[in-house]
Amino acid sequence: SGWRFLPCGVFPEGLHLQRQLARHLQKEAQSQHNNSEFTEDQKKTIAKIATCLELRSAALQSTQSQDEFKLEDLKKLEPILKNILTYNKEFPFDVQPVPLRKILAPGEEEHLEFEEDDEEGGAGAGSPDSFPARVPGTLLPRLPSEPGMTLLTINIEKIGLKDAGQCIDPYITVSVKDLNGIDLTPVQDTPVALRKEDTYVHFNVDIEIQKHVEKLTKGAAIFFEFKHYKPKKRFTSTKCFAFMEMDEIKPGAIVIELYKKPTDFKRKKLQLLTKKPLYLHLHQTLHKE
């Protein structure tokens, strides 16, 4: 197959090249059984290497450098990739294969899933993705402060779900939309959740809202879409969503309700996900100059 184009030396240390290689490896890892020269285990390893490359390219873009993926980490992967056909040790990093995201147009995903769940949601009013393509787990740094302006950090602590333990590669997409469902800021995805237990998926991740609170339009809302990977369908699906309106922006803990998909950005036909007391747990911090 045409994937042996790797230089025998090192992984490329450049954003564009790493992304390209990551995508190439993801495709290889997801190729259908019959035409692939790799076993399922080898494909899993290749997919994990792709995840590491994504982490490294996210680290190259990030300004926070405490626990990011370093160049020397990347170097540990070279012998694995070179000897992929014989490699049988434990993978050196605790990462999950990132599913090759099929980027579905708004509404498309719901049709694909219709036969599966007995969930019927409101009309999802998706907005065109007018911001650059993104990799799961690319969170943006806090904006520079401006005198008299407030910035909002939201810590996503955990989400309560009855089948939390069974979700594969769960993450949350955070977006800020106006009343027409149009994006007011770039969309951000959290990394895959830290851990899962019976009824909770734990994230403990900070999201920096990419607009000063004072500049958010009246009627805007911050949306949280909980997504997970469906191996049978080979794509990532939205399981449920929650949102926070402008009058709920205040410092401290907040617990918000979960609604059935499809995500209704216009907030017209909302249906609670469950009668059980399961919620999205957040903590807000306001920064003012």
Side-chain angles (χ1 to χ4, degrees):
S1 76
W3 83 297
R4 290 198 189 80
F5 65 101
L6 268 181
C8 33
V10 283
F11 277 119
E13 179 62 355
L15 204 55
H16 181 64
L17 286 168
Q18 284 179 358
R19 285 261 163 96
Q20 235 176 351
L21 178 57
R23 255 185 293 231
H24 192 87
L25 293 175
Q26 280 181 341
K27 282 205 183 90
E28 191 65 51
Q30 307 252 333
S31 64
Q32 298 301 331
H33 315 281
N34 46 13
N35 63 354
S36 175
E37 57 192 295
F38 301 109
T39 65
E40 287 308 301
D41 280 349
Q42 287 163 355
K43 285 183 188 177
K44 234 179 234 144
T45 303
I46 290 171
K48 285 182 175 182
I49 293 173
T51 302
C52 293
L53 279 163
E54 298 281 25
L55 288 171
R56 178 63 193 149
S57 51
L60 285 176
Q61 286 179 297
S62 152
T63 47
Q64 277 99 32
S65 59
Q66 57 276 36
D67 51 7
E68 60 183 28
F69 206 82
K70 298 185 174 54
L71 183 58
E72 50 268 32
D73 295 335
L74 202 57
K75 291 196 168 132
K76 292 180 191 157
L77 300 175
E78 280 170 32
I80 302 178
L81 192 55
K82 277 201 223 141
N83 306 304
I84 188 72
L85 295 172
T86 52
Y87 183 79
N88 57 5
K89 296 192 192 69
E90 191 71 16
F91 196 74
F93 302 103
D94 183 17
V95 295
Q96 289 305 312
V98 176
L100 190 61
R101 309 283 164 190
K102 289 191 187 170
I103 302 300
L104 300 170
E108 202 179 342
E109 176 185 298
E110 282 76 60
H111 299 312
L112 282 171
E113 292 190 63
F114 234 49
E115 71 284 8
E116 168 217 28
D117 303 331
D118 53 350
E119 303 172 354
E120 60 301 330
S127 61
D129 201 354
S130 48
F131 292 99
R134 52 189 205 278
V135 177
T138 46
L139 296 177
L140 298 165
R142 189 177 307 161
L143 294 177
S145 52
E146 281 182 30
M149 290 287 181
T150 312
L151 286 167
L152 170 62
T153 304
I154 299 176
N155 178 272
I156 300 178
E157 290 178 7
K158 59 184 179 179
I159 184 171
L161 293 165
K162 63 176 196 292
D163 54 353
Q166 286 145 31
C167 296
I168 299 176
D169 291 350
Y171 68 99
I172 290 178
T173 297
V174 181
S175 57
V176 183
K177 310 274 186 189
D178 69 8
L179 270 172
N180 296 315
I182 304 300
D183 283 316
L184 297 175
T185 66
V187 176
Q188 303 184 67
D189 290 329
T190 70
V192 166
L194 290 174
R195 62 190 175 89
K196 300 175 288 197
E197 52 189 37
D198 299 346
T199 52
Y200 284 105
V201 178
H202 293 264
F203 287 91
N204 192 23
V205 63
D206 285 342
I207 309 289
E208 303 292 348
I209 298 301
Q210 300 290 302
K211 221 179 183 65
H212 293 87
V213 174
E214 291 80 1
K215 294 181 185 168
L216 291 171
T217 51
K218 195 172 179 303
I222 302 169
F223 280 82
F224 304 86
E225 297 174 89
F226 179 83
K227 298 180 176 179
H228 63 132
Y229 183 60
K230 296 203 158 159
K232 281 200 189 106
K233 311 230 165 156
R234 299 177 81 91
F235 72 86
T236 296
S237 156
T238 300
K239 186 172 178 68
C240 58
F241 71 98
F243 61 87
M244 208 175 84
E245 295 185 317
M246 295 301 98
D247 58 357
E248 295 173 292
I249 295 180
K250 43 176 100 66
I254 180 174
V255 170
I256 54 178
E257 292 177 305
L258 304 176
Y259 295 97
K260 286 185 179 177
K261 63 181 184 186
T263 309
D264 179 10
F265 292 126
K266 294 186 178 176
R267 295 163 265 159
K268 292 269 198 316
K269 296 180 181 170
L270 298 167
Q271 280 188 298
L272 284 173
L273 181 69
T274 168
K275 297 185 177 61
K276 296 183 177 70
L278 296 172
Y279 304 100
L280 179 63
H281 297 249
L282 309 170
H283 191 281
Q284 305 181 72
T285 308
L286 294 169
H287 314 269
K288 191 160 187 168
E289 270 299 282

